[in-house]
Amino acid sequence: MFVALIPAKKNSTRLLGKNKRILKGKPLFKHSIESAKDSRKIKKVFVSSNDKEILSTAKKLNCETIVRPEKISGEKTSMNVVIKHFIDYLEKKKISAKYIVLLQPTSPFRKKKLIDKLISKFLLSKKTLVTVKKENAKFLKGIVAINKKSFPIFPGYF
């Protein structure tokens, strides 16, 4: 069984409240939730966060929520630690999962069917898959910052 883990901590060092910034009318983390929910192969969606608002929204969207302790929510915390915390949570709750699909909120432009396509590819190869997207350099030279709730785009940020 495939489960999705969406790690959405409260604050980022470079951009405070990044995961709640509005992009195309919704918070950044919500794009990842919707992508996971659209998947035919992901059976459960989990959101790990130390932010009450993110966890509340995730619950309303029928996601399982994991309250991430502050000690593993800092800028120096590796994703490995967050994933280990998630695996420990699954074991404690006796939730069966064979594979974890990690969906970072900072990659909101996944096409809906891409996740299922990559899961199928993974099942054939059993190798870790990472998505990347080539961006137009002209697009990345500008800064878009309309208000505090908009998502700024900085050169080289993605």
Side-chain angles (χ1 to χ4, degrees):
M1 174 168 85
F2 286 87
V3 296
L5 170 60
I6 300 168
K9 68 181 183 177
K10 187 174 187 172
N11 282 318
S12 167
T13 305
R14 294 180 294 188
L15 184 61
L16 293 179
K18 171 177 66 183
N19 291 318
K20 294 193 292 187
R21 295 287 176 121
I22 303 301
L23 179 67
K24 291 192 172 187
K26 59 187 113 172
L28 195 58
F29 73 92
K30 193 172 176 188
H31 290 273
S32 291
I33 290 173
E34 289 175 356
S35 293
K37 291 280 188 181
D38 285 342
S39 169
R40 291 184 185 154
K41 299 185 185 236
I42 292 174
K43 300 304 177 204
K44 281 191 172 199
V45 180
F46 296 83
V47 175
S48 169
S49 184
N50 61 331
D51 186 298
K52 290 178 184 176
E53 186 179 348
I54 290 173
L55 293 170
S56 175
T57 300
K59 271 187 183 173
K60 289 176 188 169
L61 295 169
N62 297 317
C63 297
E64 297 247 358
T65 57
I66 302 168
V67 178
R68 192 185 320 171
E70 290 300 325
K71 68 182 180 184
I72 63 166
S73 298
E75 67 177 279
K76 303 265 189 224
T77 303
S78 74
M79 190 53 62
N80 289 343
V81 172
V82 175
I83 293 169
K84 173 72 169 95
H85 181 257
F86 176 56
I87 292 169
D88 291 345
Y89 174 87
L90 293 176
E91 289 173 355
K92 181 180 174 186
K93 297 289 187 177
K94 298 185 183 341
I95 297 170
S96 176
K98 191 165 182 176
Y99 302 106
I100 298 169
V101 179
L102 181 67
L103 298 174
Q104 301 273 21
T106 52
S107 298
F109 298 117
R110 291 177 203 93
K111 299 219 187 251
K112 291 183 180 186
K113 300 300 174 195
L114 178 65
I115 293 170
D116 287 345
K117 182 178 176 183
L118 290 174
I119 287 173
S120 295
K121 193 171 193 164
F122 168 80
L123 288 170
L124 293 173
S125 70
K126 299 289 192 213
K127 294 182 180 176
T128 301
L129 298 173
V130 178
T131 59
V132 294
K133 182 178 180 192
K134 186 175 180 177
E135 292 292 339
N136 180 332
K138 289 179 185 175
F139 173 73
L140 293 176
K141 288 184 181 176
I143 296 177
V144 178
I146 298 166
N147 61 40
K148 288 182 181 179
K149 292 184 180 180
S150 67
F151 190 83
I153 300 169
F154 300 105
Y157 186 76
F158 292 124

